[in-house]
Amino acid sequence: MSIAYEQQATVALQQLGLSVAEQQLDQAAQQAAAASWSYTHFLGYLLDAELRFRHQKTVRLNLQFANLPYQKRLQDFDFQQQPSIDQRLIDELATGRFLHEGRNTVFLGPPGVGKTHLAIALGVLTAEMGHRIYFTSAIELARRMARAMADNRLSREIKNLTRPKLLIIDEVGYLTLETAHASLLFQAICERYEKQQAIVLTSNKAFPDWSQVFAGDAIMASAALDRLLHRSTVINIRGDSYRLKEKRHAKGSAHAQEVTPTE
Ligand code: ADP
Ligand code: MG
């Protein structure tokens, strides 16, 4: 009877689609016998292996579809170099609570201060929590929606934009959008707001200048800001470009190396 069940176990795991548990069954059973595991310990061990494998696969797919220009992590960010950021705000974001609250995050500041880095890092973290994310620049998003509108599939495209748990809209305000594009960006923001789905957005433009972002339409800009900021964390980053600082630092140390031999 017991032998029959043992044979059945492999087949059952296979039929249930638990392929990792199936692969590990023999080795886990031997380990369990050798270490006198309880039955529940053994079952937990097998299911845990299966779940971990599935989670890794989900994360891999999430990152594959994320459209990230590159991967960065919060751990790669040097907060000492950027004292204008309150690290407690970032730590709170890293818990992922903002995703479930549909709370937006806006990174504001001049070029090179780490806005995109932090936005991507929040995206990677979200993907690793098992959620879908999508990264796009504001102009790319507007163009994509314009193409969808031209093909009579705007409502489907808008629905697609609300699917990811997190939408990252980068570089809002770098390029002034034409009126049609501005109104599409506005629609994307409205739709996510209504579904209480979080947006992480970066911009080099302070809020009072946002009418420029929306093709000079102050009313649309304030309506967009209303929705964006209703539930939000705004992180204002000041200071010099990290890239330029690094360059100056590199030059400085090259210079130091040049003078060392003559000392
Ligand atoms: P922004 O989007 O604000 O223009 P980025 O996020 O693109 O700036 O940052 C420019 C480069 O400098 C990126 O490679 C980023 O990883 C790096 N960087 C910026 N700030 C920091 C920091 N405080 N620590 C580590 N790397 C940083
Ligand atoms: Mg950027």
Side-chain angles (χ1 to χ4, degrees):
M1 188 74 178
S2 124
I3 289 171
Y5 274 132
E6 276 164 16
Q7 282 165 353
Q8 175 68 7
T10 310
V11 177
L13 288 173
Q14 202 176 30
Q15 283 182 353
L16 288 167
L18 303 171
S19 55
V20 176
E22 185 211 331
Q23 280 160 25
Q24 301 212 353
L25 182 62
D26 279 347
Q27 168 254 325
Q30 280 168 26
Q31 237 176 305
S36 309
W37 287 353
S38 68
Y39 299 118
T40 45
H41 182 150
F42 168 71
L43 185 61
Y45 177 91
L46 269 191
L47 294 179
D48 184 56
E50 182 70 43
L51 284 178
R52 260 185 299 136
F53 174 80
R54 287 189 181 194
H55 182 73
Q56 279 164 8
K57 189 169 162 197
T58 303
V59 172
R60 210 171 44 245
L61 288 175
N62 288 343
L63 288 171
Q64 203 171 314
F65 292 112
N67 196 35
L68 293 174
Y70 48 85
Q71 278 196 32
K72 287 278 175 180
R73 294 176 171 278
L74 285 180
Q75 294 90 302
D76 305 327
F77 195 82
D78 184 355
F79 285 93
Q80 307 266 305
Q81 286 285 331
Q82 202 46 264
S84 68
I85 299 177
D86 182 350
Q87 207 181 330
R88 283 170 304 180
L89 289 178
I90 305 288
D91 290 344
E92 164 57 31
L93 291 168
T95 63
R97 263 194 290 272
F98 75 102
L99 297 163
H100 308 293
E101 295 166 1
R103 173 176 287 274
N104 300 322
T105 307
V106 182
F107 292 106
L108 293 179
V113 292
K115 302 183 297 296
T116 302
H117 181 138
L118 290 170
I120 289 176
L122 289 179
V124 169
L125 195 139
T126 303
E128 286 176 346
M129 287 176 178
H131 304 298
R132 281 177 57 181
I133 62 165
Y134 192 75
F135 179 102
T136 175
S137 70
I139 187 82
E140 196 190 324
L141 173 65
R143 284 186 185 143
R144 186 193 170 106
M145 291 174 80
R147 273 198 304 276
M149 190 159 72
D151 299 347
N152 253 330
R153 50 177 179 81
L154 182 61
S155 59
R156 193 153 24 110
E157 184 64 37
I158 288 179
K159 219 176 245 162
N160 278 341
L161 286 173
T162 58
R163 285 218 174 97
K165 190 82 173 169
L166 179 64
L167 180 68
I168 302 172
I169 310 177
D170 196 33
E171 302 199 334
V172 175
Y174 277 67
L175 297 171
T176 299
L177 301 174
E178 53 189 79
T179 309
H181 283 173
S183 116
L184 290 169
L185 174 62
F186 176 68
Q187 281 187 56
I189 291 172
C190 286
E191 197 67 21
R192 300 267 318 168
Y193 172 76
E194 272 150 30
K195 301 263 161 37
Q196 299 210 12
Q197 294 274 63
I199 296 175
V200 167
L201 183 149
T202 81
S203 179
N204 61 332
K205 289 237 167 22
F207 296 137
D209 301 331
W210 268 44
S211 63
Q212 288 169 39
V213 175
F214 285 90
D217 188 331
I219 296 173
M220 202 187 332
S222 92
L225 280 173
D226 246 26
R227 286 161 178 79
L228 206 56
L229 302 181
H230 179 202
R231 297 177 295 265
S232 67
T233 305
V234 177
I235 299 179
N236 253 299
I237 315 181
R238 290 179 294 277
D240 295 334
S241 161
Y242 186 83
R243 289 191 198 98
L244 296 182
K245 257 196 270 184
E246 280 214 310
K247 222 184 218 172
R248 275 201 296 272
H249 182 72
K251 263 192 193 157
S253 50
H255 182 67
Q257 273 169 10
E258 274 164 27
V259 296
T260 319
T262 63
E263 278 176 359

